Amino acid sequence: MSSQLWLLFLSFLLFHPLLHPCLPLSSAHPLDPLTAAEISTIRRVIQSSHLGASKSLAFHYVGLDEPDKPDVLAWAQSGTRGRRQRRRAFVVAPLRRGDARDRRRRHRRLRRLRPGLSRFRTLEELEAAAALPLNYTPFVESARRRGVALSDVVCSTFTAGWFGEAGRGRRRLKLLCFVAGETANFYMRPMEGITVVVDLDEMRIIGYRDRVVVPVPKAEGTDYRAAKQRPPFAPETKPGVVVQPAGKGFRIDGHVIRWSNWDFHLSYDARAGLVVSLASVYDAEKGARRRVLYRGYVSEVFVPYMDPAEEWYFRTFFDAGEYGFGLWASPLEPMTDCPANAEFMDGYYAAQDGEPVKLPNVFCVFERYSGDAAWRHTELGIPKQMISEVRQEVSLVVRMVGALGNYDYVTDWEFKTSGSIKVGVSLTGILEVKGTPYTHTDQITTDVHGSLLAENTIAVYHDHFVTYYLDLDIDGLNNTFIKSKLKTARVADSSGVPRRSYWTVTREAANMEADAHVEIGSVPAELLVVNPNKKTKMGNHVGYRLIANGVPVASLLSDDDYPQMRASYGKKQVWVTPYNKSEKWAAGLYVDNSRGDDNLAAWSQRNRAIKNVDIVVWHTVGFHHIPYQEDFPLMPMLSSGFELRPSNFFESNPLIRLRSTKQTHLPNCTLIV
Amino acid sequence: MSSQLWLLFLSFLLFHPLLHPCLPLSSAHPLDPLTAAEISTIRRVIQSSHLGASKSLAFHYVGLDEPDKPDVLAWAQSGTRGRRQRRRAFVVAPLRRGDARDRRRRHRRLRRLRPGLSRFRTLEELEAAAALPLNYTPFVESARRRGVALSDVVCSTFTAGWFGEAGRGRRRLKLLCFVAGETANFYMRPMEGITVVVDLDEMRIIGYRDRVVVPVPKAEGTDYRAAKQRPPFAPETKPGVVVQPAGKGFRIDGHVIRWSNWDFHLSYDARAGLVVSLASVYDAEKGARRRVLYRGYVSEVFVPYMDPAEEWYFRTFFDAGEYGFGLWASPLEPMTDCPANAEFMDGYYAAQDGEPVKLPNVFCVFERYSGDAAWRHTELGIPKQMISEVRQEVSLVVRMVGALGNYDYVTDWEFKTSGSIKVGVSLTGILEVKGTPYTHTDQITTDVHGSLLAENTIAVYHDHFVTYYLDLDIDGLNNTFIKSKLKTARVADSSGVPRRSYWTVTREAANMEADAHVEIGSVPAELLVVNPNKKTKMGNHVGYRLIANGVPVASLLSDDDYPQMRASYGKKQVWVTPYNKSEKWAAGLYVDNSRGDDNLAAWSQRNRAIKNVDIVVWHTVGFHHIPYQEDFPLMPMLSSGFELRPSNFFESNPLIRLRSTKQTHLPNCTLIV
């Protein structure tokens, strides 16, 4: 039985008394995520429509259908926040062919966008699929052969990728199974050699292979839970907490956050996770708020593994498009995930049945007092004077953790009073390891595609490519991407000076998309987004520049390899496209079974004009991950990221005209345990 | 009159009752910097010797002559801390030819090392030189022509570099003059077009040229002092302080710092600044302390400017070798330079007359509670369980700020409980600007070698190359440098899997120095220092890897350019040399007037064997600096750095076996103002 998938488009008025009788006005921002009540309403509307009759109706994605950018900008500028807003949802709900043919009950608020193969999957489906092997005779036999108790088995769902198969095929998943039992860290105990293929629509196993029996690594040393640790313990550290004697400096008003010179909107989406919108910075000198970022979020996370074995070759995950970077977000733990002075926000997604599910503490917001200075100078050059001026650095961090199965991605947006936005992504969590007969590297004579971290345990080489969507609107809508290239120049012999060389700067404005595919570091250059219609008093174009905080990483897969085709944007760290509302997801709207024909690189082949238009920067932060023993059984944080830094945006350093906020009195504290 | 310079070598017994009657035993570490009492003793010994008769005797450098490494290691291992230590000082004291010929009074403790051209200079000399123009008639006339009051003039000293002149020449400096007056920020107000050349030994002006009159930029908007700021003020932030209810977690015992799993020695040197020695990490599993870094410090800071004009071409500073990165260190301000929970240490250097000078608060040491996790994982894969384990990150930071005239370099060493050492360098302070007639970029039609930041103010393009000396001793003396190269491999068509490519790792051990000159990022590779004589239980060589925290930067000057010859190591970010006690300074022992014949690249031309011997890694953190208006009148912090991360050093993640130190009770604080 094949399935036909539908896209549904829901449009309704916000503040309809029946829908949100008590929604506070302050949250009526057009970019606010769907509330629990709105998600419930959507479910009711759809279930009362002609679609409701379908037994196979399932909610794969329910989220805000972002209003058109001009409308949002007009709303933001008008500031008439109490105004009734037209709100629309974007719903992906697959229906099997033949279901819901009764068009008489079609709801006036429902609009079928276009048929498509959504290829999303719900948490409920994954859970159901993961339970299948336990009742599947061949698997029960495989477990017996390995001496594994079925009660200890945990199976996990893995996307199957696309490897040149013709036709759209079925909605398939692969399962790989592990042994938990004495340890929570089942990922370290693979039942190597077994592959299970599941048809998700039929929810049954359609393929099974037990290729080879390999020892299951032992549980000892794999558990990471505090309660399971035994001496010798690692040396401890003393606790420390940030205290703010004058209170917090930020205000959360619905989803709008206001702090120091920054103002932005923070929303949750099941696919993207944390979305920052309408970030603007107050320019004290101009007495005006100035736009920086219309919308920024993690658009895709591509994670290919580097082992071509049958149980491994397909592990080429697209964590946002195939799983949902927000759907898999972790509730943040106060005092450890975020410091004592953090505030938390919740998120809501729709369950498979359309009911809203609360994700508590999905974001945290806190002020960071890193102990660094924002700027300083000591001046000894003026006779008989000693000048020392130092300003403390304070920044605001918003954080979400996407825990995609084994891996945890800590994603931070740090707003600085200097006007910078620092974006950080840190990897932690658990590696994917392969069972092996090896117990010592001396036994290894061939390429094992990974590192032997423990007996029978090879952590496989892999990459992480976190691609950010950055719709920068630097001081206005129309921007231009600039490469400021540094080039060596010779000093003329006739110059009269003995110096022979220097470097100078050539600014190249990108006219077309092809001019803006950048492999960072291949030539020395600074990358800027400027507003060519606005200049400083000195005549410099106002802008921001992108600074990578790590050695640039690009995909090393062959261009003709299937995962590389699907993530074909991964060979350049920067792409620039003209703003297009439908181009949100670097690997395409429907990523499962995708073929790279609807991704960033495909769109960009049109080579559209990008000069002095509304542009979007796509920046990929990459990691090549060669595992080391310290990554066993759970890896310490490994961080990278980038900075968006004002560059001729302000007339001068905006932090000079700061009344010194130097803290001279220490708070007097007592700890009550 | 020409001068002859001498090197003096002082050897005396520590704890000689006459010298240090009450030196506490705990500070008797062979790597401790010279104490004030020891500096005084050195002065007395030299002045009572045959050298004391010389009227020109001046102390250019007085510092510890580091004992031989085997002796230090033996001392550190024996732990017999009360033992009498032989201490030696390294003294650079120039004497004019003909002075101090009376060899009868030669002190038994003094040994002339070898004659050389020290080319060091003292703060007193710089101050005296900077005052010369005010009494120099041609300069007084130049000031008058520019309408500048002499009382507002501040002159600064600039090293002249070497540009192919034959012979060793005189000890020269160039002076450039500025207008202070209403502003403390005289650097923003150059008296462009004037160059003054000073002979330091004769302390007189030997060259003067007033080439062109250019408007002096106005003072308005240049002052950075809080007291001088006027509205509109920048938005403020709320104060925050770290409180440690259970006290600090580190102990400073003389110059040895002990914190969590780390133990290291911290010392001050007038040239290098902050020196970290004998850093070792406690391995709880092995129950043993294991060596990581024998000695690490900033070896050189090369800062070439990119304007070939007569007043600019020579600005190619070597801040450590020509000025003294420690000599120019700033006293750190509590609460802003370092947080409330910091402790401070003092340093001592010798004044020109040999008397000790205290540099208060030259270092600070504090625990950082960044609000990040050290590791985390949320596990949803086990049915009916939700596991979330998060450990708070706490690290220890040691910091020094070198304020080299206009620029301030914040140099941090951050020790992590994971075993990582993160080294950070942040630039702030004031740019060097060039006076210009331009008041708007529209007027500019040629390359002005910089950015117009304010009227009549061009900030000139330049670089910063901070070169670190890293004598790693990973778990022992003999180490090997490894490049783990990532290379794309093809999947054989016969493999039966549809995957076409992957990457794998080729480990290349560097046999000779030439194998270890690395341009980071030119090929995808990880860089490791391993101990080939020690393996983990799994058989992996124990090691640390070097991770650059920024896009790698290399010098763009032509190889035949004089400053490039002097800093010829600057085209590669990594060099590895066999340990050699005399190879400490990347640009050579005597940098002023150097020709590149005694620098890292020159030593390395011998292409010595570096495999499984005691090796030193030299790593350069670079910045190309294109100034932007935000850098005016004082730049916000711009940061880079690197991480030394354990890589198969531990058997597993050392932070798993941590008793959770989760802080669940908030301290109750009151602020008494």
Side-chain angles (χ1 to χ4, degrees), chain B residues 286-500:
Chain B
K286 290 197 164 53
R289 189 153 284 291
R290 298 170 68 195
R291 287 157 58 191
V292 176
L293 181 74
Y294 179 69
R295 218 157 158 78
Y297 55 83
V298 171
S299 175
E300 193 50 88
V301 182
F302 175 50
V303 187
Y305 283 74
M306 297 299 153
D307 188 326
E310 188 177 319
E311 299 81 16
W312 281 86
Y313 77 88
F314 56 87
R315 302 197 201 190
T316 53
F317 307 106
F318 291 82
D319 281 336
E322 292 181 335
Y323 289 90
F325 203 61
L327 191 62
W328 289 78
S330 291
L332 295 168
E333 251 191 30
M335 310 298 286
T336 47
D337 267 322
C338 310
N341 58 323
E343 288 199 14
F344 294 84
M345 291 171 75
D346 303 326
Y348 292 90
Y349 64 87
Q352 181 173 296
D353 63 4
E355 287 289 5
V357 178
K358 178 170 165 176
L359 238 171
N361 289 9
V362 68
F363 303 148
C364 71
V365 185
F366 62 93
E367 285 157 297
R368 171 176 283 159
Y369 301 87
S370 61
D372 299 331
W375 60 262
R376 79 171 319 285
H377 183 59
T378 299
E379 184 55 62
L380 300 169
I382 303 175
K384 300 183 186 39
Q385 285 193 48
M386 146 97 177
I387 295 166
S388 196
E389 294 276 340
V390 194
R391 297 295 174 274
Q392 193 189 15
E393 164 95 334
V394 188
S395 59
L396 187 79
V397 179
V398 296
R399 173 171 294 168
M400 190 198 85
V401 175
L404 279 290
N406 51 315
Y407 256 106
D408 299 54
Y409 296 86
V410 183
T411 57
D412 282 358
W413 292 74
E414 183 175 7
F415 295 84
K416 290 177 172 277
T417 49
S418 62
S420 276
I421 304 176
K422 273 188 89 167
V423 177
V425 52
S426 299
L427 311 182
T428 177
I430 303 172
L431 298 174
E432 291 196 10
V433 304
K434 182 178 185 177
T436 172
Y438 300 124
T439 55
H440 194 278
T441 52
D442 285 350
Q443 300 154 359
I444 302 175
T445 53
T446 56
D447 187 352
V448 294
H449 311 293
S451 311
L452 189 73
L453 301 193
E455 289 185 9
N456 311 121
T457 309
I458 285 174
V460 174
Y461 304 141
H462 60 280
D463 295 324
H464 303 263
F465 296 103
V466 182
T467 300
Y468 284 87
Y469 174 95
L470 301 167
D471 181 0
L472 291 159
D473 280 4
I474 303 299
D475 217 12
L477 198 67
N478 288 353
N479 289 177
T480 295
F481 181 72
I482 304 275
K483 287 179 278 188
S484 278
K485 291 187 178 170
L486 284 68
K487 288 179 182 166
T488 303
R490 291 292 291 183
V491 179
D493 288 343
S494 61
S495 68
V497 298
R499 182 80 172 261
R500 291 179 173 163

Side-chain angles (χ1 to χ4, degrees), chain B residues 108-162:
Chain B
R108 64 177 170 87
R109 290 187 189 156
L110 278 176
R111 192 152 60 84
R112 181 175 140 179
L113 194 58
R114 61 180 166 93
L117 280 175
S118 100
R119 298 291 181 179
F120 285 51
R121 59 190 68 72
T122 65
L123 293 174
E124 293 85 344
E125 283 178 323
L126 298 185
E127 198 180 323
L132 291 175
L134 299 177
N135 296 309
Y136 187 69
T137 312
F139 180 80
V140 172
E141 174 59 20
S142 294
R144 202 197 50 75
R145 275 170 68 199
R146 286 167 176 80
V148 169
L150 274 189
S151 58
D152 287 347
V153 169
V154 171
C155 297
S156 249
T157 50
F158 293 75
T159 47
W162 171 71

Side-chain angles (χ1 to χ4, degrees), chain A residues 337-651:
Chain A
D337 267 323
C338 310
N341 57 323
E343 289 200 13
F344 294 84
M345 291 171 76
D346 301 327
Y348 291 91
Y349 65 88
Q352 182 172 293
D353 64 3
E355 287 288 8
V357 179
K358 179 172 165 175
L359 238 171
N361 289 8
V362 69
F363 303 148
C364 71
V365 184
F366 63 91
E367 285 157 298
R368 172 176 283 160
Y369 301 87
S370 61
D372 298 330
W375 60 262
R376 80 172 318 286
H377 184 58
T378 298
E379 184 55 62
L380 299 169
I382 303 176
K384 300 181 185 39
Q385 285 193 47
M386 146 95 175
I387 297 166
S388 195
E389 294 276 339
V390 194
R391 297 295 174 277
Q392 192 189 15
E393 166 93 332
V394 188
S395 60
L396 187 79
V397 178
V398 297
R399 172 171 295 168
M400 190 197 85
V401 175
L404 278 290
N406 52 315
Y407 255 106
D408 299 55
Y409 296 86
V410 183
T411 56
D412 283 357
W413 292 74
E414 183 175 9
F415 295 85
K416 291 178 172 274
T417 49
S418 62
S420 276
I421 304 176
K422 274 189 88 167
V423 176
V425 51
S426 299
L427 311 181
T428 177
I430 303 172
L431 296 174
E432 291 195 11
V433 305
K434 183 179 185 177
T436 174
Y438 300 123
T439 55
H440 194 278
T441 52
D442 285 350
Q443 301 153 358
I444 301 175
T445 53
T446 57
D447 188 353
V448 294
H449 311 293
S451 312
L452 189 74
L453 301 193
E455 288 185 10
N456 310 120
T457 309
I458 285 175
V460 174
Y461 303 141
H462 59 280
D463 295 323
H464 303 263
F465 297 103
V466 183
T467 301
Y468 284 86
Y469 174 95
L470 301 167
D471 181 0
L472 291 159
D473 282 4
I474 303 299
D475 215 13
L477 199 66
N478 289 352
N479 288 176
T480 295
F481 181 73
I482 304 274
K483 287 178 277 188
S484 280
K485 292 188 177 167
L486 282 68
K487 288 181 183 166
T488 303
R490 290 292 292 182
V491 179
D493 287 343
S494 60
S495 69
V497 297
R499 180 83 170 258
R500 290 177 176 167
S501 68
Y502 58 92
W503 57 256
T504 190
V505 178
T506 310
R507 284 165 66 93
E508 293 177 8
N511 292 309
M512 313 301 285
E513 287 178 275
D515 303 330
H517 303 160
V518 181
E519 204 177 327
I520 296 178
S522 58
V523 295
E526 295 202 341
L527 305 176
L528 296 106
V529 173
V530 305
N531 186 325
N533 314 299
K534 298 249 173 97
K535 287 181 173 179
T536 62
K537 283 179 206 151
M538 287 303 103
N540 295 302
H541 288 306
V542 305
Y544 264 68
R545 70 186 189 275
L546 173 71
I547 303 175
N549 289 332
V551 178
V553 164
S555 174
L556 296 173
L557 295 179
S558 301
D559 287 335
D560 68 345
D561 203 358
Y562 299 104
Q564 183 59 38
M565 290 181 210
R566 299 172 68 206
S568 46
Y569 55 88
K571 297 229 163 161
K572 308 279 180 182
Q573 291 92 13
V574 176
W575 299 70
V576 180
T577 56
Y579 174 82
N580 179 335
K581 195 183 165 187
S582 72
E583 295 176 2
K584 294 173 70 171
W585 310 109
L589 180 59
Y590 302 120
V591 178
D592 184 88
N593 213 251
S594 70
R595 295 155 188 217
D597 46 10
D598 177 37
N599 71 8
L600 172 55
W603 312 327
S604 208
Q605 270 180 4
R606 282 174 283 172
N607 200 17
R608 295 161 290 187
I610 54 169
K611 193 173 175 178
N612 201 8
V613 298
D614 186 10
I615 56 175
V616 175
V617 175
W618 307 75
H619 176 49
T620 297
V621 176
F623 301 82
H624 293 307
H625 195 164
I626 300 174
Y628 293 96
Q629 291 199 211
E630 286 77 5
D631 296 338
F632 177 88
L634 195 151
M635 70 179 285
M637 211 71 92
L638 185 68
S639 303
S640 189
F642 60 93
E643 179 178 355
L644 298 168
R645 188 172 171 109
S647 302
N648 296 331
F649 185 83
F650 295 107
E651 296 287 340

Side-chain angles (χ1 to χ4, degrees), chain B residues 140-257:
Chain B
V140 172
E141 174 59 20
S142 294
R144 202 197 50 75
R145 275 170 68 199
R146 286 167 176 80
V148 169
L150 274 189
S151 58
D152 287 347
V153 169
V154 171
C155 297
S156 249
T157 50
F158 293 75
T159 47
W162 171 71
F163 287 89
E165 302 89 348
R168 281 293 173 180
R170 298 193 256 191
R171 215 156 53 96
R172 285 180 313 139
L173 269 184
K174 292 193 177 181
L175 299 181
L176 300 164
C177 299
F178 304 86
V179 185
E182 306 138 69
T183 184
N185 194 349
F186 59 85
Y187 295 109
M188 287 296 124
R189 307 190 68 203
M191 295 173 72
E192 198 64 42
I194 301 172
T195 318
V196 187
V197 186
V198 171
D199 182 305
L200 269 188
D201 291 314
E202 301 185 12
M203 197 49 78
R204 67 176 187 91
I205 292 172
I206 57 167
Y208 186 80
R209 182 150 133 104
D210 185 350
R211 188 175 63 88
V212 55
V213 175
V214 171
V216 174
K218 55 180 190 268
E220 193 194 326
T222 62
D223 211 324
Y224 47 84
R225 289 173 292 183
K228 301 289 174 181
Q229 302 311 310
R230 298 287 167 265
F233 289 115
E236 293 188 4
T237 53
K238 299 280 190 193
V241 270
V242 170
V243 171
Q244 296 178 288
K248 290 187 175 67
F250 62 91
R251 220 172 70 225
I252 303 180
D253 182 13
H255 287 81
V256 173
I257 298 182

